[in-house]
Each structure stands twice: as C-alpha cells, then as structure tokens.
C-alpha cells in the first residue's frame, strides 16, 4: 500500500549512511552497503553488503555481510564478522579485535557488547576463545572496560605464551586483572 511504502525507506546500490553511533565530541560513524531498508514505524532497519557492510568510526571498523539495526541504539552483526575497536589505554593506542560465529550485539547507549558461539577476542596482551563473551564499554572511549567470558574459555597471553583454561573468566584491561 502507499502508506506502507511511505513508512519503509528502501535503497539499493551504493549506500552510504552517516551519523551512526555518534556521541557529542566524537567522530560520527559511517556505513557503506549495497542495500539499506529502514522501517520508520518500527524504527528498525537492515544493511546488506556483498561481500560486507563496512562501518567506520574514527579508527574503529566493523565488517559483516548483514547488520540489523534493532533500534536506533542496538546493532546486531550477522554472518562472518570482524570488529576492530581502537582504544587508548595508559597513554597508548591499541586495537581490540573481536569475532564470533553467532550474533554480535552492540548497544553503545547501554555500554554493552555481547558475542555468542566460537568467540575470539584479541588484544595486544592476550587472545581469548570462549562460547560467550559479554563486555562493558567505557563510556568515554567506547573501548572495552571489562568483559566476562564463559564456556570452554582458553586464553593465551602474548608476553609469555601462558595458557589459561577454564569455564569462566573476567578481565579488566585498565588493571590487567584476570579472575
């Protein structure tokens, strides 16, 4: 119907969106995709890209073949995905890389990230694999403030190659504390 057409914004081709995940004083995020669909009534949308949708914000990059915008705040990455978060810690800039086989849900407004199924998280200090990873984002930097991993946890420390195995792990990058 004409009303439905008016409520659904639909674009095909070379799509570029700006203003994603922006906070005052920060660079705004931009997305490049092949297709974009936004439902005004539900405030939900989908970005599709072949091979990937690419979202950048400053030096951070997100790639996934499908990104579902569950709301103006909640982003769900579908399919093979890669997230590179550049963050400043103790006066140095470092990259945190994250991927998982299941959905990766980012809610910057609530300061949360959730990863499911065959998760891999890499920092300059270690690499961690787990069935599930739930993180809290630093409200200032949007980098990872802390996270908890659960289910078949395997951590390898970069400096000495030490391996930690377990069913649960909590990590706080600011202090380097692993529990």
């Amino acid at each position: 119907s004409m009303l439905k057409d008016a409520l659904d914004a639909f674009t095909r081709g070379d799509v570029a969106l700006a203003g994603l995940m922006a906070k005052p004083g920060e660079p705004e995020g931009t997305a490049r995709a092949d297709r974009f669909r936004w439902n005004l009534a539900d405030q939900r949308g989908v970005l599709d890209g072949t091979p990937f949708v690419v979202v950048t914000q400053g030096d951070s990059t997100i790639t996934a073949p499908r990104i579902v915008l569950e709301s103006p705040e909640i982003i769900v990455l579908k399919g093979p995905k890669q997230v590179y978060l550049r963050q400043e810690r103790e006066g140095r800039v470092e990259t945190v890389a994250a991927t998982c086989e299941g959905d990766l849900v980012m809610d910057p407004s609530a300061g949360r990230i959730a990863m499911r199924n065959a998760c891999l998280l890499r920092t300059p200090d270690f690499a961690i694999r787990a069935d599930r990873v739930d993180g809290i984002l630093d409200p200032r930097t949007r980098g990872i403030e802390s996270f908890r991993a659960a289910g078949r946890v395997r951590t390898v420390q970069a400096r000495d190659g030490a391996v930690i195995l377990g069913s649960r792990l909590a990590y706080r990058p600011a202090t380097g504390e692993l529990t």
Side-chain angles (χ1 to χ4, degrees):
S1 77
M2 199 155 112
L3 179 58
K4 182 172 181 342
D5 291 341
L7 293 174
D8 289 329
F10 184 73
T11 306
R12 287 192 182 275
D14 186 21
V15 177
L17 299 176
L20 299 174
M21 304 180 296
K23 286 178 95 174
E26 289 184 2
E28 64 181 27
T30 59
R32 288 220 165 277
D34 296 326
R35 289 169 301 287
F36 172 64
R37 181 174 180 94
W38 182 256
N39 183 298
L40 292 172
D42 295 339
Q43 292 291 292
R44 297 180 62 168
V46 176
L47 288 157
D48 287 302
T50 305
F52 300 108
V53 175
V54 178
V55 179
T56 57
Q57 181 179 21
D59 292 334
S60 296
T61 305
I62 297 169
T63 58
R66 173 168 272 203
I67 298 178
V68 178
L69 306 169
E70 288 289 333
S71 72
E73 293 84 28
I74 299 172
I75 301 163
V76 181
L77 308 180
K78 304 275 191 179
K81 68 208 57 70
Q82 187 71 53
V83 176
Y84 291 100
L85 299 174
R86 301 263 300 163
Q87 61 187 28
E88 187 173 329
R89 185 167 64 107
E90 298 172 1
R92 66 182 176 144
V93 176
E94 65 183 23
T95 299
V96 176
T99 190
C100 60
E101 289 182 10
D103 290 350
L104 190 152
V105 180
M106 300 177 74
D107 185 350
S109 65
R112 302 214 179 266
I113 185 170
M115 300 166 47
R116 300 293 180 261
N117 302 331
C119 305
L120 173 61
L121 188 67
R122 287 185 189 272
T123 75
D125 300 325
F126 67 86
I128 182 168
R129 292 184 185 275
D131 293 333
R132 186 174 74 239
V133 175
D134 294 305
I136 296 174
L137 302 174
D138 183 305
R140 293 175 303 105
T141 66
R142 291 212 183 162
I144 294 178
E145 182 177 291
S146 65
F147 72 83
R148 292 176 187 219
R152 296 181 296 187
V153 178
R154 177 184 169 91
T155 303
V156 178
Q157 294 183 337
R159 69 177 173 266
D160 59 11
V163 177
I164 300 169
L165 302 173
S167 60
R168 295 175 191 249
L169 174 90
Y171 179 65
R172 184 171 293 280
T175 62
E177 178 185 3
L178 283 171
T179 55

